[in-house]
Amino acid sequence: MKFHFLIYSAFPHYSGGRETWLSHVAVRLRARGHTVRIYSYRNHSAPLFHDLGRSDGLRVTEVPVPLSIPTLGPKIVRSYLHVVNMAMWTVAVFLLIAVRKRSRDEVFIALGTVADSAPLLLARALLPRAFFICAVRGPHAANESIPLPLMKRFFFFMERMSTERADLVVANGVDTQRRLSVHGVESIVVPNGVDLKNYRLDPTLEPLPAGFPAHDAKIVVMTASLMVYRQIDTSLEALAICRQTEDAPAVRMVFVGKGDQTPWRTLAERLGVTEWVTFLGERRDIARILAHSDVALALCDGAHAGGLSMSLLEAMAAAKAVVVSDNETYRQLVTDGREGRVVAESNPEALAKTILGLAADDGNRAALGMRAYERVREFDWEAVTDCVEKVARDVPRSERGKT
């Protein structure tokens, strides 16, 4: 079978949840004898983040666009010129797809509902036998609209068109599936995954990660992009409360992920916790960082959360005590007091109390961590790849090619 993945991203030079999903699934599909082709956009100014190895049956086509130009890229990302970039990528990928010799065993999977799906919407008339799967990974249109609010209505229109015209819609979690069902869209869950064998590390055998703080306090880590909706302000305010609480365990907080650190460093300074906060930026050694941490945070506003959180899966695979926001996205993995702790969104007092409770109880942390590990064993990448194969093979051939 031939798998074509469309991802509007600088893959494999970019880190993110769907990029991680694609890198793991693509390599495993190829190992099982399938042909895999990936369409992304070029950005060779960034380091290679996902090493797919070398194989004749696995190819990444990185389309040159304005974002590929190092001097223009950062300016485009922060402006409405990004829409022009999306349009150029859409046309280029559409042409690449349209001129290909087509076969009946091809499957096209768009890893998003906006720009990712646009080339396939254009190509529907030219690809009557191609099977088009739209992968919905959380509230994609809503999140894409954050830096481009004037495009919100158009992005939501694109999302509706993508889910309506695809042969099949897959969701990356039960919460996403339920959100789609409210809008009358049926979907099948193909979850995120985690490489279990790489996350159960013994910290006594692992060197301290570069830039990691000293072990003079309990380490609370968050691995996520530094977006406002990740409740980083709530986390820093909770840290300030922890530091001000008398006779409480000492706590340090570590943030791992891409994004502008400036506003959060400014907030940390204003709260008086600068010396207790470390920003490590984008890293590849997440497993080692988790191994040297005591508690992991997975926080997000419910309106912007969706699907099985990759960072949460990784923390649970590392057998860490996790603290998550009280919304459906995280509750599908964590029950309060069983696999971790659940706290109200944007409530620094509740978060601080929970962190201090875990910091003071080594036994409870260990028990929560072990139950968390057992919970995510079903999300091994081999099982996720099984799901992808099943989705591609089990849908009747008569369903392919509908317009």
Side-chain angles (χ1 to χ4, degrees):
M1 184 170 289
K2 299 177 182 178
F3 287 87
H4 300 262
F5 292 96
L6 281 68
I7 181 167
Y8 182 72
S9 160
F11 182 88
H13 298 268
Y14 186 84
S15 67
R18 60 191 187 139
E19 289 81 7
T20 298
W21 185 94
L22 178 57
S23 65
H24 283 281
V25 170
V27 169
R28 285 167 173 79
L29 285 173
R30 180 56 194 147
R32 298 181 185 193
H34 302 293
T35 299
V36 179
R37 185 165 185 178
I38 299 167
Y39 303 86
S40 62
Y41 62 75
R42 182 177 300 168
N43 184 9
H44 289 174
S45 62
L48 184 69
F49 202 89
H50 301 282
D51 186 0
L52 303 179
R54 294 184 178 274
S55 170
D56 291 338
L58 199 166
R59 178 180 173 186
V60 181
T61 299
E62 299 173 75
V63 176
V65 289
L67 265 177
S68 306
I69 304 172
T71 55
L72 292 180
K75 298 177 182 178
I76 292 173
V77 168
R78 295 190 295 267
S79 75
Y80 282 90
L81 289 174
H82 200 161
V83 179
V84 177
N85 195 84
M86 289 180 176
M88 293 179 67
W89 185 82
T90 295
V91 172
V93 175
F94 160 71
L95 292 174
L96 288 170
I97 291 172
V99 299
R100 285 183 56 80
K101 182 179 179 180
R102 296 181 289 279
S103 63
R104 193 167 180 79
D105 66 345
E106 287 184 310
V107 176
F108 291 83
I109 304 178
L111 294 182
T113 57
V114 184
D116 316 80
S117 293
L120 295 178
L121 291 175
L122 282 178
R124 282 311 258 149
L126 296 175
L127 300 170
R129 293 186 301 173
F131 187 39
F132 169 22
I133 298 176
C134 178
V136 182
R137 304 185 61 79
H140 192 185
N143 290 344
E144 288 285 286
S145 303
I146 293 174
L148 304 171
L150 295 180
M151 299 300 297
K152 184 175 182 178
R153 294 183 64 179
F154 177 72
F155 287 165
F156 274 91
F157 167 76
M158 286 292 297
E159 186 166 80
R160 186 174 71 252
M161 292 289 289
S162 300
T163 54
E164 287 179 354
R165 298 198 175 187
D167 293 294
L168 182 69
V169 176
V170 298
N172 67 336
V174 174
D175 60 325
T176 302
Q177 184 182 50
R178 288 175 180 166
R179 180 175 65 85
L180 289 168
S181 68
V182 171
H183 298 284
V185 177
E186 295 183 1
S187 62
I188 297 173
V189 174
V190 176
N192 290 329
V194 65
D195 199 341
L196 292 169
K197 65 180 181 298
N198 288 339
Y199 280 87
R200 286 294 302 275
L201 302 180
D202 184 346
T204 63
L205 302 178
E206 296 294 327
L208 202 65
F212 205 77
H215 279 289
D216 58 353
K218 297 300 182 183
I219 306 297
V220 179
V221 65
M222 175 186 283
T223 58
S225 56
L226 302 181
M227 303 294 288
V228 173
Y229 56 78
R230 291 294 182 180
Q231 299 185 28
I232 298 169
D233 53 349
T234 300
S235 302
L236 291 172
E237 290 166 6
L239 177 61
I241 294 172
C242 291
R243 300 299 310 171
Q244 295 164 6
T245 302
E246 294 184 3
D247 300 322
V251 173
R252 288 186 178 274
M253 201 164 278
V254 177
F255 293 92
V256 185
K258 57 182 176 289
D260 185 5
Q261 300 175 7
T262 304
W264 310 121
R265 289 183 179 277
T266 300
L267 178 59
E269 183 176 1
R270 181 167 62 81
L271 294 170
V273 295
T274 299
E275 64 178 301
W276 299 98
V277 177
T278 301
F279 292 91
L280 293 179
E282 190 174 35
R283 298 286 288 262
R284 300 186 188 206
D285 54 345
I286 300 298
R288 185 179 298 167
I289 289 170
L290 286 169
H292 284 278
S293 302
D294 299 290
V295 177
L297 303 182
L299 308 177
C300 189
D301 297 340
H304 296 285
L308 292 175
S309 164
M310 197 77 74
S311 59
L312 177 56
L313 286 170
E314 291 170 348
M316 296 173 75
K320 294 300 162 181
V322 296
V323 182
V324 304
S325 298
D326 188 7
N327 57 54
E328 188 178 15
T329 291
Y330 296 118
R331 286 198 305 269
Q332 64 187 315
L333 280 175
V334 177
T335 299
D336 189 36
R338 189 167 67 193
E339 297 92 0
R341 295 301 313 276
V342 179
V343 297
E345 293 182 11
S346 304
N347 188 329
E349 292 80 12
L351 180 58
K353 182 178 179 180
T354 301
I355 289 173
L356 289 177
L358 290 172
D361 193 337
D362 294 350
N364 188 33
R365 286 201 317 277
L368 290 173
M370 284 306 303
R371 289 194 291 270
Y373 175 78
E374 292 299 324
R375 176 69 180 88
V376 299
R377 291 181 67 177
E378 66 183 274
F379 300 106
D380 181 76
W381 283 116
E382 292 296 337
V384 173
T385 307
D386 290 342
C387 288
V388 176
E389 282 188 317
K390 181 176 176 58
V391 163
R393 284 177 168 159
D394 286 3
V395 175
R397 293 277 177 162
S398 59
E399 286 294 309
R400 303 190 183 192
K402 73 177 182 180
T403 56

